[in-house]
Amino acid sequence: MKNLFVKIAAVGLLMLAPAVAQAAEGYSTANVNMRAGPSTRYPAVAVIPAGSSVEIRGCLSDVNWCDVEFYGGRGWVSGQYVQALYQQRRVYVGPQYYRPLGIPMIRFSVDNYWDRYYRNRDFYRDRDRWSRGPDYYYRDRDNRDRDRDRDNRDRDRNWRERDRDRDGRDRDRDWRDDNQRDDRQRGDRQRGERQRDDRRGDDRRPDRRDFNWRPGDPSCDE
C-alpha cells in the first residue's frame, strides 16, 4: 500500500510539472520594444505591435520584467506592457500573478541568454562589457566617446597650430621676398640715378676746345 501511494504521488508530480513550467499566454498593450535584457538600456531586438500575442517564459522576482517569445524570437519586455488572462479578465503581469498564472520566476545572465539567442547579433561582440550591466556599458562607452572627442580636439588643435605656424612662415617668407624685391628695386633706382648723373655730368663737362683756343681763333668768336 505504501508503494502504491508513492507511485501515485510521483505520477501526480509528473502531471503537475508541465503545468508549473508551462508558459503563460500574454498580450502586448502597446507597440513595445523587445530587448536583449531586463532594462530599457539593453539593445532592442524587435518591436511587438500592440495587441500581439506573446508567450511569457518567466519573469524576474526583483523587477517587473519578463522573458517572452514572439514569433520564434526571444527577449525581455516590461510587465507594465504585458497583460494575461486571469479569472476571466486581463491583468497586467506582476509578481502577485506569477504563481496563479503558472509563470516561473527566473534569473537573467547575459552570458547564458545571449549565447543561446543572440550569437548572430552585432551587439554580441560587446557581450563582455554588457555582462557587467547596462550602466557599466554606457559609462564605458561614454568614457570612450569623451576620449575620442578629446583626441579629436587635440588633433584639431594640432592642425590649427601647424596651419598657424605655416601661415607665419609664409608671411615671413613673403615679408623677406618683399624686402628683397624692395632692395632690388631701390638698388636699380640708385644705379639708374647714378647713370643719369653720369650722363648729365658728361653733358656739363666743358669741351676741350674751350681750353685750347687762342686769341684770333675763329672758332672762339661768338
Side-chain angles (χ1 to χ4, degrees):
M1 182 65 69
K2 183 177 180 180
N3 291 335
L4 179 62
F5 283 123
V6 172
K7 291 180 180 179
I8 293 174
V11 172
L13 290 174
L14 290 174
M15 294 179 64
L16 290 174
V20 172
Q22 183 179 3
E25 184 76 15
Y27 305 89
S28 64
T29 60
N31 295 331
V32 61
N33 285 319
M34 184 170 68
R35 297 188 175 274
S39 170
T40 56
R41 296 174 72 85
Y42 282 103
V45 296
V47 175
I48 303 177
S52 298
S53 176
V54 296
E55 294 288 329
I56 306 172
R57 295 295 181 179
C59 297
L60 300 178
S61 60
D62 52 346
V63 291
N64 191 21
W65 280 77
C66 297
D67 176 20
V68 303
E69 182 176 351
F70 176 68
Y71 278 97
R74 291 288 288 272
W76 291 80
V77 177
S78 173
Q80 63 181 335
Y81 296 108
V82 179
Q83 287 183 332
L85 189 63
Y86 175 70
Q87 295 181 352
Q88 305 303 317
R89 62 189 179 94
R90 288 188 177 186
V91 296
Y92 283 98
V93 176
Q96 68 273 28
Y97 296 110
Y98 291 170
R99 186 177 296 276
L101 292 172
I103 300 174
M105 286 187 290
I106 58 175
R107 295 181 179 181
F108 171 71
S109 169
V110 167
D111 294 334
N112 295 334
Y113 198 87
W114 286 24
D115 282 343
R116 191 177 306 160
Y117 302 116
Y118 300 136
R119 283 183 174 273
N120 62 338
R121 297 281 184 159
D122 292 338
F123 54 78
Y124 182 81
R125 62 175 177 265
D126 295 327
R127 183 190 59 171
D128 291 339
R129 285 199 297 271
W130 280 107
S131 64
R132 302 181 186 182
D135 292 336
Y136 175 86
Y137 172 80
Y138 279 100
R139 182 170 60 250
D140 184 48
R141 191 186 66 174
D142 292 342
N143 291 335
R144 294 197 305 272
D145 291 342
R146 282 195 295 270
D147 291 340
R148 184 173 60 250
D149 293 340
R150 184 172 58 252
D151 292 340
N152 290 337
R153 289 194 298 270
D154 292 341
R155 185 166 55 251
D156 293 341
R157 184 173 61 252
N158 292 335
W159 276 110
R160 288 195 299 270
E161 290 176 353
R162 282 195 291 268
D163 291 341
R164 185 168 59 250
D165 293 340
R166 185 175 60 248
D167 292 341
R169 290 193 298 270
D170 292 341
R171 283 195 298 272
D172 292 340
R173 185 173 58 251
D174 293 340
W175 181 80
R176 289 194 300 270
D177 292 343
D178 291 341
N179 287 339
Q180 292 174 357
R181 185 170 55 252
D182 293 340
D183 292 340
R184 287 195 299 270
Q185 292 175 353
R186 189 161 45 249
D188 292 340
R189 286 196 300 271
Q190 291 175 352
R191 284 193 296 273
E193 290 174 356
R194 285 196 297 270
Q195 291 174 357
R196 286 194 298 273
D197 292 341
D198 291 342
R199 285 195 297 272
R200 283 197 297 270
D202 291 342
D203 294 340
R204 289 193 300 270
R205 185 177 299 120
D207 193 339
R208 185 179 301 274
R209 292 175 302 174
D210 294 341
F211 298 95
N212 294 331
W213 64 275
R214 293 188 298 273
D217 191 336
S219 59
C220 297
D221 293 339
E222 294 182 0

